[in-house]
Amino acid sequence: SESIFQLPPFLRSSADDVPADDFATLPCHRDAVFTFGSTASQHLINPIAIEKWSAVLQAVSASRLLIANSGMAAECDRHWLTQQFAKHGIDADRVELGEVAPERHRAAFFDAIDLLLDTVPVNAYVAAAEAVGAGVPVLTLCGTRPAARTTASLLDTYGLEDLVAHSHEEYFQMACAFT
């Protein structure tokens, strides 16, 4: 006979996924600018995510967005992102694009971010796990498909369900309120 075995409510676990104790030492406490960030893979940063992130940047005038991923090595990817944000009225000087640093230098990137914005409609689970482990809060939009629920599962596992939005409007409101 078979027996049921309950698995933990998230995809994977590793020593690197252990969250920091709190989010008390965010860069906005020392800088005059609130810094949103993303380390999502380039293919996850799509027009939907850019539209949502642009709306947040428009609403929070003293803010910027740092994006770092391996796609930033290609001029065409940097150009495409700059154009996409410009379509939504976001000046290039408010969006900083860079390559992901090697593991040992990644902490410096996370030290510059106040809030990591997860991608929509597909989550950037690995980026979220790294950020939470580095002490950076992550805002996600929990969707209906499995790929749109991974970060919500991670945050729920760590008791951070207050950082999970359930609609596009709530995602926008929560990002703005976080500042």
Side-chain angles (χ1 to χ4, degrees):
S1 106
E2 296 178 5
S3 59
I4 296 174
F5 180 76
Q6 290 289 350
L7 295 174
F10 66 107
L11 295 178
R12 70 178 177 91
S13 176
S14 77
D16 295 335
D17 288 346
V18 178
D21 292 329
D22 62 58
F23 303 126
T25 56
L26 298 175
C28 63
H29 295 139
R30 65 176 183 263
D31 301 330
V33 175
F34 191 91
T35 304
F36 297 101
S38 173
T39 57
S41 296
Q42 184 64 24
H43 71 278
L44 296 175
I45 302 176
N46 57 55
I48 297 169
I50 292 168
E51 177 185 355
K52 301 305 172 199
W53 296 348
S54 294
V56 171
L57 290 171
Q58 289 284 7
V60 182
S61 59
S63 67
R64 66 184 183 142
L65 174 63
L66 302 182
I67 299 175
N69 63 46
S70 58
M72 294 303 103
E75 176 61 35
C76 61
D77 285 337
R78 290 193 308 274
H79 181 72
W80 182 82
L81 279 174
T82 302
Q83 283 186 322
Q84 294 301 306
F85 281 103
K87 286 181 185 178
H88 296 285
I90 304 300
D91 293 334
D93 63 343
R94 293 190 61 204
V95 180
E96 185 177 327
L97 307 174
E99 293 181 57
V100 172
E103 293 284 331
R104 64 188 183 279
H105 300 296
R106 202 165 294 178
F109 179 80
F110 286 125
D111 284 346
I113 297 174
D114 294 298
L115 179 65
L116 188 107
L117 296 175
D118 199 8
T119 51
V120 294
V122 175
N123 295 160
Y125 173 82
V126 172
E130 288 179 343
V132 171
V136 177
V138 176
L139 177 63
T140 191
L141 173 62
C142 185
T144 57
R145 297 185 176 135
R149 303 178 69 81
T150 57
T151 301
S153 177
L154 172 80
L155 295 175
D156 184 59
T157 298
Y158 290 135
L160 300 171
E161 54 277 335
D162 290 348
L163 295 171
V164 178
H166 296 280
S167 71
H168 289 283
E169 180 60 27
E170 186 179 23
Y171 182 88
F172 169 77
Q173 294 295 334
M174 289 172 71
C176 294
F178 206 88
T179 63

PDB file of all heavy atoms in Angstrom, residues 3-15:
ATOM      1  N   SER A   3       1.597   5.365   0.826  1.00  0.00           N
ATOM      2  CA  SER A   3       1.269   6.381   1.820  1.00  0.00           C
ATOM      3  C   SER A   3       1.573   7.756   1.242  1.00  0.00           C
ATOM      4  O   SER A   3       2.432   7.904   0.386  1.00  0.00           O
ATOM      5  CB  SER A   3       2.054   6.159   3.113  1.00  0.00           C
ATOM      6  OG  SER A   3       3.428   6.199   2.854  1.00  0.00           O
ATOM      7  N   ILE A   4       0.875   8.743   1.730  1.00  0.00           N
ATOM      8  CA  ILE A   4       1.037  10.115   1.251  1.00  0.00           C
ATOM      9  C   ILE A   4       2.159  10.782   2.040  1.00  0.00           C
ATOM     10  O   ILE A   4       2.240  10.675   3.254  1.00  0.00           O
ATOM     11  CB  ILE A   4      -0.273  10.910   1.411  1.00  0.00           C
ATOM     12  CG1 ILE A   4      -1.351  10.300   0.535  1.00  0.00           C
ATOM     13  CG2 ILE A   4      -0.056  12.382   1.076  1.00  0.00           C
ATOM     14  CD1 ILE A   4      -2.713  10.920   0.725  1.00  0.00           C
ATOM     15  N   PHE A   5       3.023  11.466   1.308  1.00  0.00           N
ATOM     16  CA  PHE A   5       4.118  12.210   1.923  1.00  0.00           C
ATOM     17  C   PHE A   5       3.959  13.673   1.543  1.00  0.00           C
ATOM     18  O   PHE A   5       3.903  14.006   0.372  1.00  0.00           O
ATOM     19  CB  PHE A   5       5.471  11.670   1.429  1.00  0.00           C
ATOM     20  CG  PHE A   5       6.652  12.384   2.023  1.00  0.00           C
ATOM     21  CD1 PHE A   5       7.046  12.136   3.321  1.00  0.00           C
ATOM     22  CD2 PHE A   5       7.356  13.319   1.282  1.00  0.00           C
ATOM     23  CE1 PHE A   5       8.132  12.782   3.875  1.00  0.00           C
ATOM     24  CE2 PHE A   5       8.437  13.980   1.829  1.00  0.00           C
ATOM     25  CZ  PHE A   5       8.830  13.706   3.129  1.00  0.00           C
ATOM     26  N   GLN A   6       3.839  14.563   2.523  1.00  0.00           N
ATOM     27  CA  GLN A   6       3.683  15.988   2.274  1.00  0.00           C
ATOM     28  C   GLN A   6       5.045  16.631   2.039  1.00  0.00           C
ATOM     29  O   GLN A   6       5.938  16.523   2.879  1.00  0.00           O
ATOM     30  CB  GLN A   6       2.997  16.684   3.453  1.00  0.00           C
ATOM     31  CG  GLN A   6       1.553  16.327   3.615  1.00  0.00           C
ATOM     32  CD  GLN A   6       0.703  16.936   2.518  1.00  0.00           C
ATOM     33  OE1 GLN A   6       1.131  17.756   1.730  1.00  0.00           O
ATOM     34  NE2 GLN A   6      -0.546  16.514   2.450  1.00  0.00           N
ATOM     35  N   LEU A   7       5.194  17.283   0.901  1.00  0.00           N
ATOM     36  CA  LEU A   7       6.415  18.019   0.593  1.00  0.00           C
ATOM     37  C   LEU A   7       6.302  19.447   1.105  1.00  0.00           C
ATOM     38  O   LEU A   7       5.197  19.964   1.278  1.00  0.00           O
ATOM     39  CB  LEU A   7       6.638  18.039  -0.919  1.00  0.00           C
ATOM     40  CG  LEU A   7       6.902  16.678  -1.557  1.00  0.00           C
ATOM     41  CD1 LEU A   7       6.951  16.823  -3.079  1.00  0.00           C
ATOM     42  CD2 LEU A   7       8.208  16.097  -1.052  1.00  0.00           C
ATOM     43  N   PRO A   8       7.429  20.110   1.317  1.00  0.00           N
ATOM     44  CA  PRO A   8       7.370  21.526   1.698  1.00  0.00           C
ATOM     45  C   PRO A   8       6.649  22.319   0.607  1.00  0.00           C
ATOM     46  O   PRO A   8       6.676  21.931  -0.564  1.00  0.00           O
ATOM     47  CB  PRO A   8       8.835  21.955   1.791  1.00  0.00           C
ATOM     48  CG  PRO A   8       9.626  20.697   1.842  1.00  0.00           C
ATOM     49  CD  PRO A   8       8.795  19.627   1.220  1.00  0.00           C
ATOM     50  N   PRO A   9       6.033  23.459   0.957  1.00  0.00           N
ATOM     51  CA  PRO A   9       5.228  24.204  -0.015  1.00  0.00           C
ATOM     52  C   PRO A   9       6.013  25.091  -0.969  1.00  0.00           C
ATOM     53  O   PRO A   9       5.507  26.071  -1.441  1.00  0.00           O
ATOM     54  CB  PRO A   9       4.318  25.046   0.878  1.00  0.00           C
ATOM     55  CG  PRO A   9       5.126  25.264   2.111  1.00  0.00           C
ATOM     56  CD  PRO A   9       5.933  23.999   2.293  1.00  0.00           C
ATOM     57  N   PHE A  10       7.262  24.774  -1.258  1.00  0.00           N
ATOM     58  CA  PHE A  10       8.000  25.544  -2.252  1.00  0.00           C
ATOM     59  C   PHE A  10       8.895  24.620  -3.058  1.00  0.00           C
ATOM     60  O   PHE A  10       9.047  23.444  -2.741  1.00  0.00           O
ATOM     61  CB  PHE A  10       8.765  26.717  -1.633  1.00  0.00           C
ATOM     62  CG  PHE A  10       9.886  26.352  -0.706  1.00  0.00           C
ATOM     63  CD1 PHE A  10      11.195  26.505  -1.096  1.00  0.00           C
ATOM     64  CD2 PHE A  10       9.626  25.882   0.568  1.00  0.00           C
ATOM     65  CE1 PHE A  10      12.230  26.188  -0.239  1.00  0.00           C
ATOM     66  CE2 PHE A  10      10.656  25.567   1.427  1.00  0.00           C
ATOM     67  CZ  PHE A  10      11.964  25.716   1.018  1.00  0.00           C
ATOM     68  N   LEU A  11       9.483  25.145  -4.129  1.00  0.00           N
ATOM     69  CA  LEU A  11      10.141  24.315  -5.120  1.00  0.00           C
ATOM     70  C   LEU A  11      11.438  23.660  -4.679  1.00  0.00           C
ATOM     71  O   LEU A  11      11.683  22.516  -4.965  1.00  0.00           O
ATOM     72  CB  LEU A  11      10.426  25.147  -6.375  1.00  0.00           C
ATOM     73  CG  LEU A  11       9.208  25.631  -7.116  1.00  0.00           C
ATOM     74  CD1 LEU A  11       9.636  26.476  -8.301  1.00  0.00           C
ATOM     75  CD2 LEU A  11       8.358  24.472  -7.580  1.00  0.00           C
ATOM     76  N   ARG A  12      12.322  24.408  -4.049  1.00  0.00           N
ATOM     77  CA  ARG A  12      13.614  23.845  -3.692  1.00  0.00           C
ATOM     78  C   ARG A  12      14.151  24.556  -2.468  1.00  0.00           C
ATOM     79  O   ARG A  12      13.691  25.616  -2.087  1.00  0.00           O
ATOM     80  CB  ARG A  12      14.610  23.963  -4.835  1.00  0.00           C
ATOM     81  CG  ARG A  12      15.077  25.376  -5.112  1.00  0.00           C
ATOM     82  CD  ARG A  12      16.115  25.378  -6.240  1.00  0.00           C
ATOM     83  NE  ARG A  12      16.506  26.714  -6.539  1.00  0.00           N
ATOM     84  CZ  ARG A  12      17.529  27.350  -5.964  1.00  0.00           C
ATOM     85  NH1 ARG A  12      18.242  26.767  -5.056  1.00  0.00           N
ATOM     86  NH2 ARG A  12      17.817  28.585  -6.292  1.00  0.00           N
ATOM     87  N   SER A  13      15.140  23.996  -1.907  1.00  0.00           N
ATOM     88  CA  SER A  13      15.780  24.602  -0.755  1.00  0.00           C
ATOM     89  C   SER A  13      17.284  24.473  -0.926  1.00  0.00           C
ATOM     90  O   SER A  13      17.779  23.488  -1.439  1.00  0.00           O
ATOM     91  CB  SER A  13      15.351  23.879   0.519  1.00  0.00           C
ATOM     92  OG  SER A  13      16.038  24.400   1.621  1.00  0.00           O
ATOM     93  N   SER A  14      17.985  25.482  -0.497  1.00  0.00           N
ATOM     94  CA  SER A  14      19.445  25.407  -0.472  1.00  0.00           C
ATOM     95  C   SER A  14      19.933  26.311   0.637  1.00  0.00           C
ATOM     96  O   SER A  14      19.194  27.142   1.145  1.00  0.00           O
ATOM     97  CB  SER A  14      20.043  25.837  -1.820  1.00  0.00           C
ATOM     98  OG  SER A  14      20.018  27.228  -1.944  1.00  0.00           O
ATOM     99  N   ALA A  15      21.170  26.162   0.991  1.00  0.00           N
ATOM    100  CA  ALA A  15      21.740  27.002   2.053  1.00  0.00           C
ATOM    101  C   ALA A  15      21.682  28.475   1.667  1.00  0.00           C
ATOM    102  O   ALA A  15      21.599  29.346   2.527  1.00  0.00           O
ATOM    103  CB  ALA A  15      23.173  26.581   2.336  1.00  0.00           C
TER     104      ALA A  15
END
